[in-house]
Amino acid sequence: GQSLEQPSEVTAVEGAIVQINCTYQTSGFYGLSWYQQHDGGAPTFLSYNALDGLEETGRFSSFLSRSDSYGYLLLQELQMKDSASYFCAVRGHTGGFKTIFGAGTRLFVKA
Amino acid sequence: DSGVTQTPKHLITATGQRVTLRCSPRSGDLSVYWYQQSLDQGLQFLIQYYNGEERAKGNILERFSAQQFPDLHSELNLSSLELGDSALYFCASSVDDRGASHGYTFGSGTRLTVV
């Protein structure tokens, strides 16, 4: 089957850097994605890694190591508006192509 | 506005009843995905359709069913509702059946409360 593990909560200070880790298990790995969800809102797509290495998009970067079944989301220059839940999602092939989401990491940014 | 439209936004119904949730994908997207999110939980994959055909199934209960119509809108039918079915139901869409590099575009969700 497919499963993901990520920390339930992370707290950081405004202006700091925070890393949210994600480990996964899947058959037929096709990529790891990250989504942001504010309270009461819809998930929004942040990034996607299919190959090993770092992908950078503004203040956010995402890393993947396929050999370790591991990835992380790096948020730099944290702002209060970054307080949200962050989900990693793995696309694999178990009974059809499926994207399975982790339980989410709640990020609290303090002033 | 993400371009994915879900109706209704809120739904309150009694146990044992049946409801239909509707989703119109973003213009040009052929795939529709349904996810269930219970309070403070992750997104549980229910089912995916691509251009009218079922493509993948998750842990969808037998009481639940879905379909995608020729105009690409999709409906999720929930029957014999139980208190535990109370959740936020999201629809997402993508242009292809993989939704990989550009991710999924989510609608704002339907909040279902079963009383």
Side-chain angles (χ1 to χ4, degrees):
Chain A
Q2 293 171 258
S3 66
L4 299 101
E5 281 193 25
Q6 53 181 129
S8 59
E9 277 188 18
V10 172
T11 301
V13 177
E14 198 173 14
I17 299 173
V18 71
Q19 178 174 314
I20 299 174
N21 299 319
C22 173
T23 57
Y24 61 86
Q25 280 188 311
T26 184
S27 304
F29 174 83
Y30 285 90
L32 187 72
S33 305
W34 289 91
Y35 287 78
Q36 177 193 61
Q37 184 181 30
H38 286 98
D39 283 346
T44 56
F45 173 72
L46 293 177
S47 68
Y48 171 76
N49 295 69
L51 303 175
D52 290 352
L54 192 67
E55 295 281 344
E56 297 180 61
T57 309
R59 294 187 297 116
F60 294 1
S61 303
S62 57
F63 172 82
L64 174 66
S65 169
R66 288 175 297 169
S67 60
D68 295 323
S69 297
Y70 163 77
Y72 66 72
L73 179 69
L74 192 73
L75 296 84
Q76 302 181 74
E77 301 171 19
L78 280 174
Q79 302 175 8
M80 298 298 288
K81 67 177 182 180
D82 297 329
S83 293
S85 291
Y86 292 84
F87 295 90
C88 58
V90 67
R91 184 161 183 84
H93 192 280
T94 306
F97 287 102
K98 298 175 190 175
T99 295
I100 305 300
F101 285 72
T105 297
R106 196 164 181 87
L107 171 63
F108 296 96
V109 179
K110 301 191 301 184
Chain B
D1 182 6
S2 68
V4 178
T5 304
Q6 287 190 250
T7 57
K9 291 195 184 307
H10 301 276
L11 199 49
I12 301 175
T13 190
T15 54
Q17 295 298 304
R18 172 189 167 95
V19 297
T20 298
L21 312 184
R22 183 188 169 100
C23 169
S24 293
R26 195 178 54 163
S27 178
D29 287 356
L30 298 179
S31 263
V32 169
Y33 312 80
W34 287 98
Y35 284 85
Q36 178 194 56
Q37 186 175 39
S38 300
L39 192 63
D40 293 334
Q41 296 293 311
L43 294 143
Q44 301 298 317
F45 172 67
L46 296 178
I47 198 162
Q48 177 205 353
Y49 282 85
Y50 174 75
N51 206 20
E53 293 187 2
E54 182 185 303
R55 275 300 173 97
K57 224 171 186 176
N59 297 325
I60 186 168
L61 300 172
E62 285 190 14
R63 299 184 285 109
F64 296 1
S65 64
Q67 55 183 326
Q68 186 179 29
F69 294 86
D71 67 352
L72 301 179
H73 92 270
S74 178
E75 292 181 357
L76 179 67
N77 300 296
L78 316 175
S79 61
S80 303
L81 284 167
E82 302 174 359
L83 295 179
D85 297 326
S86 295
L88 201 49
Y89 290 83
F90 283 106
C91 168
S93 71
S94 67
V95 65
D96 56 22
D97 64 343
R98 303 195 175 193
S101 58
H102 299 292
Y104 297 168
T105 301
F106 280 81
S108 57
T110 293
R111 182 168 295 282
L112 172 67
T113 303
V114 182
V115 298

